[in-house]
Amino acid sequence: MQKFLTDFEGKAYKMDKKSASLIKKLENIEKKDAKNDDDLRFLIKNASSGNAETRSLIARLLVDFSGEDAENALLDLCGDSDELVRTNACDSLAVYPSKKVFLRLLRIFENDGSLLVKNFALLSAIDIMQNVNSDTSKMKNLFCDCIKKYDGQIKISAYKGLYILGENDRLSDILGMLNHKDYAVRCSVINTLYDIVNAENINTIARAVLKHRNAEDSEAVISTANSFLSSINIE
């Protein structure tokens, strides 16, 4: 799961006083170290709020809960009219490893018109596919189709899926995406590495990221690379 979507390219929502008050309450829940059943009931009660910003925040906060009620609230939010709400709902579903969620995420990937939503649906499906005994052959076929059809972030996600399913040579494909022309895609490559780095591949990954960082001209990518390298104790 990639928990870095808090705002969508500066997207602004019109907010009345009631919505502003609700946002304040949601932010207080977000700050709590120990969330409880009352918090969950409050989130579910307001999940159909008329304001997209509140629904988006609720979708993010539900990642800290569990259970069928929370799962169903997120599944409902996956059908929201707002792109960021759907994206955050798909992202949070990565911690709800049920067959129902998995199949819904695959349908969202197939049918949603937003590439952003598609990618987060695919990422969450990848996160839970092994917990729900998914058909490995079918998932590999899906990922291979994605590689042919998509570029950028969805392609990275497909490579990640194949790598997790045991195709170790896909690591070189992921690292090769560091040369993509879009700096946002290059950042996504590095963020993906957090999910797959391990004792066996850490040296290969570290060398590739270091080499790329030293040749990179985007401050955003350099910063992302530095954060990743610091996380694996390499400067």
Side-chain angles (χ1 to χ4, degrees), residues 107-123:
R107 289 197 299 272
I108 292 168
F109 174 74
E110 181 180 354
N111 297 319
D112 202 284
S114 163
L115 289 177
L116 185 67
V117 176
K118 280 180 177 291
N119 188 48
F120 275 81
L122 185 63
L123 284 169

Side-chain angles (χ1 to χ4, degrees), residues 4-106:
F4 53 80
L5 265 180
T6 56
D7 187 24
F8 180 48
E9 296 181 354
K11 186 172 185 177
Y13 296 101
K14 293 182 179 179
M15 195 182 308
D16 54 27
K17 290 183 178 180
K18 181 179 179 181
S19 296
S21 175
L22 178 54
I23 285 287
K24 183 69 174 177
K25 293 177 181 177
L26 294 173
E27 289 174 342
N28 288 336
I29 292 175
E30 186 173 27
K31 294 174 184 176
K32 294 172 68 172
D33 292 329
K35 301 175 178 65
N36 56 44
D37 290 343
D38 288 338
D39 296 327
L40 176 57
R41 283 190 287 270
F42 183 81
L43 295 179
I44 293 173
K45 177 182 176 181
N46 291 282
S48 58
S49 162
N51 185 277
E53 184 175 3
T54 60
R55 300 195 305 276
S56 179
L57 181 52
I58 287 169
R60 287 199 295 114
L61 290 174
L62 285 169
V63 76
D64 293 324
F65 297 88
S66 61
E68 188 175 3
D69 289 342
E71 178 181 295
N72 287 334
L74 281 170
L75 290 172
D76 287 342
L77 289 168
C78 284
D80 198 271
S81 61
D82 186 87
E83 180 184 38
L84 184 55
V85 175
R86 301 197 308 279
T87 300
N88 282 333
C90 288
D91 191 24
S92 291
L93 282 170
V95 300
Y96 292 83
S98 73
K99 194 72 171 183
K100 178 173 71 172
V101 167
F102 178 72
L103 294 176
R104 178 67 183 279
L105 288 168
L106 293 183

